[in-house]
Amino acid sequence: MLHKVIFLVFCLVGFTSSVYAEQIRVLGAASLKYVLEEIKNDFLKDRKNDEIEISYISSGKAYAQIKNGAPVYLFVAADVSYPAKLYADKLAPQKEEIYAKGKLVLWSNNADFKVTDFKDILNPKIQHISIPNPKVAPYGRASIEALESTKMLEKVQEKFVIGESIGGATTYVESKNAEVGFTALSMLGKNGIDTPTMSFIAIDENLYKPIEQALIITNYGKDSKLAQEFKDYILGQKGKEKFIQFGYSVE
């Protein structure tokens, strides 16, 4: 009899755990590929039954997917404008919240094109410059702004190789299909891409508009406890510490 009672208790515990487990889908900006995965893994350490699926694409494409009805609970963008558009479009119950500020870098993965100064981009031997699509990728827009601020845009734009997201643009340089390129600081270093031939410099932040990055819970995720708690974790102290570790600035 005792064994039956114990077995029943275990069954009830298992049933209760499965009932309260949640699964949510998140869209994250491609520049968050490394940092957001670490934040997610830390968050889920004590939540064995919950699942968070994160897809990484450009912020513009993420916005378009959500607007077209994709079942997304939380959107973690690489700027403020796309989450703000969701709220303006009445696709989110509350306004966006800023979680960090990103930093733009120029980098190379080719030892023959070591980057030590922004003006290295003018090297006539450079044939391909990778840049995230400025129409949909915030770091692409920042790249254009930095080049315009230094009056170098017209001198180099014919060499652009456009990546549809920062991930694609970064891959061009990583694979050496582009000699140099623009990416986010969060994509490089010991926590991201780290190779013996890599070099990079942070672009002067006065040369481009601040890359403030925001997140927002969508209408689809407004009743999800897991989405709310994950959002709060990202915005909280542990999330901030992780963003700082990956080169972001936080308030």
Side-chain angles (χ1 to χ4, degrees), residues 208-242:
Y208 57 91
K209 295 175 184 175
I211 309 175
E212 291 184 323
Q213 305 189 189
L215 49 65
I216 195 166
I217 288 180
T218 67
N219 286 344
Y220 194 89
K222 65 182 180 180
D223 297 322
S224 168
K225 181 181 178 183
L226 181 59
Q228 182 64 51
E229 291 179 348
F230 186 44
K231 185 204 78 168
D232 291 343
Y233 188 88
I234 293 171
L235 293 170
Q237 187 59 36
K238 290 184 178 179
K240 288 180 179 180
E241 290 172 359
K242 191 64 69 173

Side-chain angles (χ1 to χ4, degrees), residues 10 13 56 67 83 103 107 121 127 150 160 170 173 192 197 237 249:
F10 274 110
V13 169
Y56 297 97
K67 190 172 183 180
K103 297 179 183 178
W107 81 297
I121 202 170
Q127 298 299 311
T150 52
F160 283 172
T170 303
V173 178
T197 55
Q237 187 59 36
S249 298

Side-chain angles (χ1 to χ4, degrees), residues 72-117:
V72 176
Y73 291 71
L74 176 66
F75 175 30
V76 190
D79 75 347
V80 175
S81 68
Y82 288 115
K85 284 181 181 179
L86 286 182
Y87 181 71
D89 293 339
K90 302 188 185 309
L91 295 173
Q94 295 182 326
K95 293 189 71 173
E96 71 283 353
E97 297 177 77
I98 294 172
Y99 62 86
K101 186 171 75 171
K103 297 179 183 178
L104 179 69
V105 302
L106 178 70
W107 81 297
S108 174
N109 194 32
N110 190 322
D112 294 330
F113 295 92
K114 189 173 182 179
V115 175
T116 59
D117 187 274

Side-chain angles (χ1 to χ4, degrees), residues 7-20:
F7 176 74
L8 180 60
V9 169
F10 274 110
C11 287
L12 287 172
V13 169
F15 175 74
T16 302
S17 298
S18 63
V19 166
Y20 288 101

Side-chain angles (χ1 to χ4, degrees), residues 120-246:
D120 289 343
I121 202 170
L122 298 176
N123 182 342
K125 293 182 180 180
I126 292 175
Q127 298 299 311
H128 308 92
I129 299 170
S130 176
I131 181 173
N133 187 345
K135 293 181 180 179
V136 294
Y139 283 85
R141 291 200 301 269
S143 303
I144 296 296
E145 290 167 2
L147 289 168
E148 287 178 333
S149 296
T150 52
K151 296 181 170 53
M152 294 193 291
L153 179 60
E154 291 185 1
K155 298 176 183 178
V156 300
Q157 61 185 353
E158 64 181 15
K159 299 179 180 182
F160 283 172
V161 179
I162 306 295
E164 281 308 303
S165 70
I166 198 169
T170 303
T171 297
Y172 283 135
V173 178
E174 184 180 14
S175 62
K176 300 182 181 179
N177 286 310
E179 292 87 358
V180 299
F182 292 94
T183 191
L185 179 59
S186 61
M187 301 285 284
L188 306 179
K190 64 179 181 179
N191 299 306
I193 299 169
D194 191 7
T195 71
T197 55
M198 185 178 77
S199 60
F200 66 90
I201 57 152
I203 303 300
D204 184 345
E205 293 181 51
N206 293 314
L207 298 178
Y208 57 91
K209 295 175 184 175
I211 309 175
E212 291 184 323
Q213 305 189 189
L215 49 65
I216 195 166
I217 288 180
T218 67
N219 286 344
Y220 194 89
K222 65 182 180 180
D223 297 322
S224 168
K225 181 181 178 183
L226 181 59
Q228 182 64 51
E229 291 179 348
F230 186 44
K231 185 204 78 168
D232 291 343
Y233 188 88
I234 293 171
L235 293 170
Q237 187 59 36
K238 290 184 178 179
K240 288 180 179 180
E241 290 172 359
K242 191 64 69 173
F243 281 116
I244 291 171
Q245 180 183 330
F246 277 77

